[in-house]
Amino acid sequence: MLQLLQIEWIKLRRYRSFWIMLALHIASILLIASSFDYFITKIVKNELRKVGMSLNLPITEFSDVWIHITWLAVFVRFFLGMLVITMITNEFTYKTARQNIIDGWDRKDFLWAKVAQVIILSGLSTSVVFLTCTFLGIVSNVDSLPYFFNNIHYLGIYFVQVSVYLSFCLLLGILIRRSGLAIVSLMGYSIFEIYLLGKTYNKSHLEWLTYFPFNTPLNVVQPSFSKYIPRSEDFVQEIGFMSTVPAIIYVFVFISLIYIFLKKKDL
Amino acid sequence: MESVLTINHLSKHYGKIKAVNDLSFSVPKQSVFGILGPNGSGKTTTLGMVLGVINSTSGDYKWFSETPKASLRRKIGAILEAPIFYPYLSAVDNLLIVAKIKQADEKNIEQVLKTVGLYERRNYAFSTYSLGMKQRLAIAAALIADPEVLILDEPTNGLDPQGIADIRNLILDIAKQGKTIVLASHLLDEVEKVCNHMVVMKTGQLLYEGKVADLLGNQNSFEVKAENIQKLEEVAKNWNVIHKIDKLNHSLILACNNDITGTNLNKYFYEQGIILSQIQPHHNSLEKKFLELLNN
Ligand SMILES: Nc1ncnc2c1ncn2[C@@H]1O[C@H](COP(=O)(O)OP(=O)(O)O)[C@@H](O)[C@H]1O
Ligand SMILES: [Mg+2]
């Protein structure tokens, strides 16, 4: 496996688009994290005034920082998706997938090399979110540090959600083999799920939406700010890690499909 | 004879197109083996199947008498159709990838780059290379693991005469080191100059399998010259061991019975009062043979 990853690293380390898309993804996370407090305060200012609350909400303190930043970071996984699609379709447009096999890889080696990259990218993104949240939490309020581990499982949910998305991108790339078409399909599908999300938003039966691959409860259930309002009667939904089970199943389904296609198709 | 590759009733059908149809042959160890056939005859498809990138419809093949698996391909250096590399990477990085896949010593990179004459340009991106340089890099990649077998599919396609000569010399040099070489080509000249064994393919089927010399040698012809060429022709016409006479500018090509040697000819014409100023075996060109085979 280490050998496979070394080879993939040689393929990518001098590939400029790889670095650009990775940089865009990380920069977006940082941008979101640094401007989150400002925008939320602006948006809900009037509401807060009405109920006579302070404008300083603890939204970027531990432990709520995990909930809020992971929820937003999910939206910028798109850059990683483009990266994965470019990386896999390149192997077909350059015909290098074929040459890798001729040179002595099994088709399974090719599969694992790509799956490992998806997992590593998801891990990398999760680490960036982790560091960002840690920094943001400490800067916002050092006194909230004791709550550091509360809700930290949101990082796990985030990891799963990026993984399922990137495995889907891998599948698209292997099915379509052309980067432009694959990226357009990805956008089309994402819009479809966002549309469903919009349609059912504010209705109580959100649950079935979490059975779509891109939607774990993390982005179906929007963080509720009403919990900051004293005596609020809103029900605050907590999301447990178990809610990602359907997404994890999707990851396995996607990888199996990729394997079947790789095996059956001529390269 | 020991064979490195054995193909058994191999077929590949694309819908109604039978790209390869019930093909069987084997490649003897240490031969320079030609797969000759016009464009579209199934050469690349055949090689694609034995290299594990095209799934066969039926039939099987064996490498080194073993059931095919990825690790066996590491002992083979192969280029299919065109040189394939990551265009944005340098020769060195590209070869590093191949070396790692083949689990070859990375120190070989410098060596093979020198062999194909690309060492000076090793740090330039592949996309900046000329076609000839790309072909040579492909050969370098094929050589990197010091393979037992080298597979080259139309290695001189699109090259200028100098490039063609360079590649052919490279192949002959490699063959001298005792490696088995499989060369697919639609050029007779190429197979004739480089190979000692060959198969001829047409529309996915095998037409001929054997030694190149046998295909060339199954006609016993001589090119002869004399001062008085008319008289030579007359005499030749009346001799029943000669069944065909072709006229060239200043000489005749005599197709004779198989037991006739140059000495026989010399003696006979001398007795008929004709002094032959030149007599040499004439190889019916492979091209003609090839066309004959294809037309049947
Ligand atoms: N992917 C494919 N789909 C349909 N037909 C194909 C495909 N690949 C090759 N063929 C057909 O198979 C035949 C053999 O092709 P090929 O093996 O490339 O011939 P050669 O290498 O001898 O020129 C041709 O008729 C070609 O059109
Ligand atoms: Mg071909």
Side-chain angles (χ1 to χ4, degrees):
Chain A
M1 187 49 106
L2 200 64
Q3 185 87 7
L4 298 185
L5 285 174
Q6 274 180 356
I7 293 168
E8 292 299 306
W9 172 238
I10 301 169
K11 291 179 187 174
L12 287 178
R13 66 184 176 185
R14 291 193 222 290
Y15 186 54
R16 191 173 306 161
S17 308
F18 166 73
W19 292 109
I20 291 175
M21 285 185 269
L22 194 60
L24 281 174
H25 174 70
I26 293 175
S28 314
I29 291 177
L30 297 179
L31 188 72
I32 285 170
S34 55
S35 58
F36 179 58
D37 191 36
Y38 175 77
F39 279 110
I40 290 299
T41 314
K42 275 227 140 163
I43 291 163
V44 296
K45 207 179 218 167
N46 289 333
E47 312 292 318
L48 293 172
R49 283 231 176 84
K50 266 188 239 160
V51 294
M53 272 183 66
S54 134
L55 293 188
N56 295 321
L57 297 180
I59 53 173
T60 54
E61 294 177 11
F62 299 113
S63 63
D64 289 353
V65 68
W66 304 122
I67 301 179
H68 296 145
I69 302 302
T70 51
W71 173 64
L72 284 170
V74 161
F75 291 98
V76 298
R77 61 189 172 172
F78 180 68
F79 293 112
L80 288 185
M82 292 216 303
L83 195 161
V84 166
I85 287 181
T86 315
M87 174 267 288
I88 186 73
T89 52
N90 272 352
E91 299 273 16
F92 294 106
T93 43
Y94 302 151
K95 290 192 173 180
T96 40
R98 177 186 228 204
Q99 190 66 38
N100 287 167
I101 304 296
I102 290 176
D103 286 338
W105 260 5
D106 194 275
R107 289 177 197 220
K108 266 188 212 154
D109 294 326
F110 187 80
L111 172 78
W112 290 127
K114 298 306 174 192
V115 170
Q117 273 180 90
V118 161
I119 302 299
I120 288 174
L121 281 174
S122 308
L124 185 72
S125 178
T126 308
S127 314
V128 171
V129 170
F130 169 75
L131 292 175
T132 309
C133 289
T134 305
F135 180 76
L136 195 60
I138 292 172
V139 168
S140 302
N141 185 2
V142 180
D143 295 334
S144 67
L145 255 180
Y147 306 105
F148 184 84
F149 291 106
N150 290 11
N151 286 332
I152 203 168
H153 70 278
Y154 272 76
L155 280 177
I157 301 176
Y158 175 78
F159 174 79
V160 171
Q161 203 156 354
V162 175
S163 305
V164 72
Y165 181 79
L166 296 186
S167 335
F168 182 77
C169 294
L170 204 55
L171 178 63
L172 267 186
I174 281 179
L175 281 182
I176 299 176
R177 295 192 180 192
R178 293 215 299 280
S179 66
L181 204 56
I183 288 173
V184 169
S185 313
L186 175 68
M187 290 206 263
Y189 185 72
S190 305
I191 289 169
F192 168 69
E193 284 208 2
I194 290 170
Y195 167 78
L196 286 181
L197 197 61
K199 263 214 124 148
T200 37
Y201 185 50
N202 279 342
K203 288 179 194 155
S204 53
H205 49 275
L206 280 169
E207 217 163 77
W208 61 274
L209 251 187
T210 63
Y211 294 106
F212 281 83
F214 292 1
N215 290 313
T216 62
L218 186 53
N219 60 339
V220 171
V221 180
Q222 321 247 337
S224 160
F225 299 114
S226 54
K227 65 182 168 192
Y228 299 119
I229 301 171
R231 293 182 311 279
S232 158
E233 281 169 15
D234 267 18
F235 172 65
V236 179
Q237 211 170 342
E238 289 285 335
I239 308 169
F241 188 73
M242 286 311 283
S243 64
T244 59
V245 166
I248 293 175
I249 292 172
Y250 272 117
V251 172
F252 283 103
V253 170
F254 291 160
I255 292 174
S256 313
L257 284 177
I258 293 169
Y259 180 65
I260 292 167
F261 279 112
L262 268 183
K263 190 116 195 158
K264 286 217 157 155
K265 284 252 188 162
D266 294 338
L267 292 172
Chain B
M1 201 182 320
E2 203 182 334
S3 61
V4 291
L5 169 66
T6 314
I7 293 178
N8 257 318
H9 302 288
L10 202 58
S11 296
K12 176 69 181 182
H13 300 174
Y14 294 105
K16 278 185 183 161
I17 302 170
K18 295 179 173 175
V20 174
N21 196 9
D22 196 25
L23 188 68
S24 302
F25 65 82
S26 59
V27 177
K29 197 173 175 178
Q30 296 191 333
S31 62
V32 183
F33 192 92
I35 300 179
L36 182 60
N39 286 326
S41 56
K43 305 181 294 293
T44 301
T45 308
T46 304
L47 294 178
M49 286 190 282
V50 300
L51 290 170
V53 290
I54 297 177
N55 296 319
S56 59
T57 307
S58 62
D60 58 59
Y61 58 92
K62 283 200 160 98
W63 278 108
F64 314 107
S65 310
E66 285 184 62
T67 315
K69 53 176 186 268
S71 59
L72 292 177
R73 288 197 294 275
R74 296 190 196 122
K75 295 199 276 181
I76 302 165
I79 317 162
L80 218 55
E81 266 178 326
I84 292 172
F85 292 100
Y86 296 89
Y88 54 88
L89 290 182
S90 68
V92 171
D93 275 347
N94 270 304
L95 291 185
L96 195 56
I97 290 172
V98 181
K100 281 190 179 292
I101 292 178
K102 290 195 167 301
Q103 298 172 1
D105 192 342
E106 284 158 33
K107 289 189 198 104
N108 295 351
I109 293 174
E110 190 181 322
Q111 167 68 43
V112 292
L113 279 171
K114 282 179 178 160
T115 307
V116 300
L118 279 178
Y119 189 68
E120 304 301 317
R121 291 287 297 269
R122 67 190 180 281
N123 290 322
Y124 286 76
F126 174 73
S127 56
T128 66
Y129 285 12
S130 71
L131 185 58
M133 292 165 75
K134 287 177 178 173
Q135 295 279 22
R136 279 184 281 148
L137 184 62
I139 292 180
L143 288 173
I144 204 153
D146 193 23
E148 290 172 40
V149 188
L150 205 60
I151 296 185
L152 306 167
D153 186 13
E154 314 267 9
T156 59
N157 235 3
L159 298 185
D160 59 23
Q162 184 58 48
I164 292 175
D166 287 349
I167 299 272
R168 283 185 190 165
N169 288 333
L170 202 55
I171 295 172
L172 289 171
D173 280 347
I174 297 163
K176 273 188 209 134
Q177 299 164 18
K179 298 194 189 305
T180 311
I181 297 180
V182 178
L183 174 79
S185 178
H186 67 282
L187 302 169
L188 312 143
D189 179 50
E190 188 152 278
V191 171
E192 189 175 13
K193 286 206 169 99
V194 178
C195 302
N196 44 38
H197 285 69
M198 69 169 186
V199 289
V200 179
M201 286 181 71
K202 183 192 177 187
T203 56
Q205 282 174 309
L206 187 80
L207 287 188
Y208 174 84
E209 176 182 11
K211 290 186 175 171
V212 173
D214 288 347
L215 184 62
L216 286 173
N218 58 16
Q219 200 155 19
N220 189 26
S221 297
F222 296 89
E223 182 174 356
V224 292
K225 270 187 194 170
E227 293 261 297
N228 189 343
I229 199 133
Q230 279 90 9
K231 182 147 187 242
L232 173 64
E233 193 182 347
E234 252 168 56
V235 173
K237 265 184 194 159
N238 293 321
W239 190 19
N240 58 2
V241 303
I242 295 174
H243 43 83
K244 196 160 162 249
I245 302 171
D246 287 320
K247 275 190 256 189
L248 296 184
N249 273 350
H250 302 289
S251 63
L252 299 179
I253 309 288
L254 308 177
C256 312
N257 288 352
N258 278 341
D259 52 341
I260 298 296
T261 65
T263 315
N264 296 143
L265 284 182
N266 209 359
K267 188 160 173 261
Y268 180 80
F269 284 113
Y270 182 76
E271 283 164 9
Q272 301 294 319
I274 298 166
I275 311 282
L276 294 179
S277 59
Q278 189 191 327
I279 175 165
Q280 64 184 37
H282 175 75
H283 290 296
N284 198 350
S285 83
L286 185 54
E287 177 156 17
K288 225 162 138 193
K289 274 281 167 191
F290 179 62
L291 290 177
E292 277 171 28
L293 272 179
L294 292 185
N295 287 331
N296 289 339

